Amino acid sequence: MIFKTTLELAKHVKINKNLEFGIIEPYIEQAMDQYINPYLGMKLLDKVEEFYVLTPEAQATKDNSDLWSKLLLYIQKTAAPFAVLVAVDETSINFGDTGHTVSRTDKLAPASDAKIAKYKSSLKDRSWFNLEQLLSLLEQHPQVWPEWQAAPQYHIRKGNFFSSAEEFQNKGLVDIQYSRLTFEKLRMPIQSLDVTEVKPLLGEAYNPLVKKTYTETQAPTYQELQLLVCRFLAHRAACVFSAVPANELDYQPVIKPLTANTSNNFYCEQATLLASEISNYIIANAEKLGITVESLSLNWNSEERKFVAFV
């Protein structure tokens, strides 16, 4: 646990300082398990809790104590609004012998649904923003926290075409505001699309490209092909997520549902065009790529090959 009292929690989120800590404590644990642990991992969180219980004097003697203090602060700033967000629906209702009731006094009345919705939206935005900052800190100092490599999200960081949010945006040409959380949400669809769409699309060129077994002479041609594939994958992944609304508490990837017109998704249209461009590029450069192709000309606009958004 990274909080001991309600006063500590109140430093990071608006909450009644007189609230008994035992009431909010289960929701802090839930928030840690549900939102923090998947990104940081239990090994790192255990180390943070060990640092938290040290006296200020003992904390100061730890290697990189300033970074550990900063990490603890970022985790608290993230966990606090998440905890209240998780708690708000249950704690607003009383349950006892008379069933489910709400509190009302001469001076206080239950908040309206509209105000509660705005309150929850604000907590959600703050929580995810703070988690973004937390991940940024970890990425800046991986040598300080090797335990982070045991986190569930860390294990899927590598891919054939993108290894970071920066690469996704710069190579894929899809604006995600360099969001690490958006990239994490897109990573699994990207890996799936790599197998189900990119590999069949590239044919014989796939293995040399991803394994980098091409010759020095072939390198410029394969590098150009890789850029085309990166743009295709980025737009294809954006096509998937921009068409799917998020759950109320889920993180919403930073991808706006751009449209070329009122009926079609911009990213899906671009993915279709890029797939055709890749096919034509391979045919035109088959000799330079060191492969033989009879024909990779595919009609990507046909009903059989048309891209659709899915989950």
Side-chain angles (χ1 to χ4, degrees), residues 202-219:
L202 266 57
E204 293 180 28
Y206 180 82
N207 284 334
L209 178 63
V210 299
K211 295 179 180 179
K212 293 182 168 41
T213 56
Y214 46 77
T215 66
E216 184 176 347
T217 304
Q218 295 171 330

Side-chain angles (χ1 to χ4, degrees), residues 57-204:
E57 294 75 18
Q59 289 180 349
T61 63
K62 186 176 178 62
D63 292 340
N64 300 299
S65 61
D66 56 335
L67 287 176
W68 279 97
S69 295
K70 193 172 185 179
L71 177 63
L72 173 61
L73 175 63
Y74 278 28
I75 294 175
Q76 289 176 326
K77 288 174 61 177
T78 304
F82 266 135
V84 177
L85 182 61
V86 171
V88 67
D89 287 335
E90 291 187 19
T91 54
S92 62
I93 297 177
N94 303 316
F95 178 69
D97 295 339
T98 57
H100 294 85
T101 61
V102 295
S103 300
R104 183 187 298 272
T105 67
D106 294 337
K107 296 182 179 180
L108 299 174
S112 66
D113 291 343
K115 288 185 177 181
I116 293 175
K118 287 184 178 180
Y119 176 62
K120 292 172 67 175
S121 176
S122 176
L123 287 172
K124 174 183 174 181
D125 290 344
R126 285 183 56 206
S127 300
W128 289 116
F129 176 83
N130 291 340
L131 182 55
E132 186 85 53
Q133 299 298 104
L134 172 56
L135 292 176
S136 176
L137 177 65
L138 290 170
E139 287 189 352
Q140 291 172 31
H141 306 282
Q143 73 284 354
V144 178
W145 299 295
E147 298 86 359
W148 186 38
Q149 298 177 20
Q153 288 290 346
Y154 194 93
H155 289 299
I156 60 171
R157 294 179 64 80
K158 293 183 179 180
N160 288 328
F161 297 98
F162 304 112
S163 60
S164 67
E166 288 78 9
E167 281 193 1
F168 180 89
Q169 180 160 326
N170 294 337
K171 292 182 179 181
L173 302 182
V174 170
D175 184 8
I176 59 170
Q177 300 179 23
Y178 297 107
S179 168
R180 292 158 183 82
L181 288 171
T182 291
F183 182 59
E184 293 299 333
K185 284 289 185 181
L186 294 172
R187 191 188 301 274
M188 291 307 293
I190 288 171
Q191 292 185 4
S192 177
L193 292 167
D194 181 2
V195 175
T196 61
E197 296 186 11
V198 173
K199 190 172 183 179
L201 179 61
L202 266 57
E204 293 180 28

Side-chain angles (χ1 to χ4, degrees), residues 189-303:
I190 288 171
Q191 292 185 4
S192 177
L193 292 167
D194 181 2
V195 175
T196 61
E197 296 186 11
V198 173
K199 190 172 183 179
L201 179 61
L202 266 57
E204 293 180 28
Y206 180 82
N207 284 334
L209 178 63
V210 299
K211 295 179 180 179
K212 293 182 168 41
T213 56
Y214 46 77
T215 66
E216 184 176 347
T217 304
Q218 295 171 330
T221 309
Y222 270 100
Q223 289 167 359
E224 181 65 25
L225 176 60
Q226 183 172 22
L227 281 177
L228 289 174
V229 173
C230 286
R231 292 168 191 168
F232 164 74
L233 266 178
H235 284 81
R236 186 70 180 95
C239 167
V240 172
F241 267 93
S242 61
V244 180
N247 179 277
E248 183 182 18
L249 299 186
D250 283 348
Y251 176 76
Q252 176 64 55
V254 186
I255 298 176
K256 296 180 179 179
L258 299 177
T259 55
N261 54 50
T262 57
S263 60
N264 295 324
N265 185 294
F266 171 80
Y267 300 115
C268 298
E269 292 181 347
Q270 289 297 302
T272 299
L273 294 173
L274 286 163
S276 180
E277 186 175 350
I278 290 171
S279 177
N280 293 333
Y281 180 86
I282 294 175
I283 293 171
N285 294 277
E287 185 175 348
K288 293 180 181 179
L289 293 168
I291 63 174
T292 57
V293 292
E294 295 181 1
S295 176
L296 286 179
S297 295
L298 297 175
N299 182 7
W300 293 98
N301 292 316
S302 68
E303 289 300 320

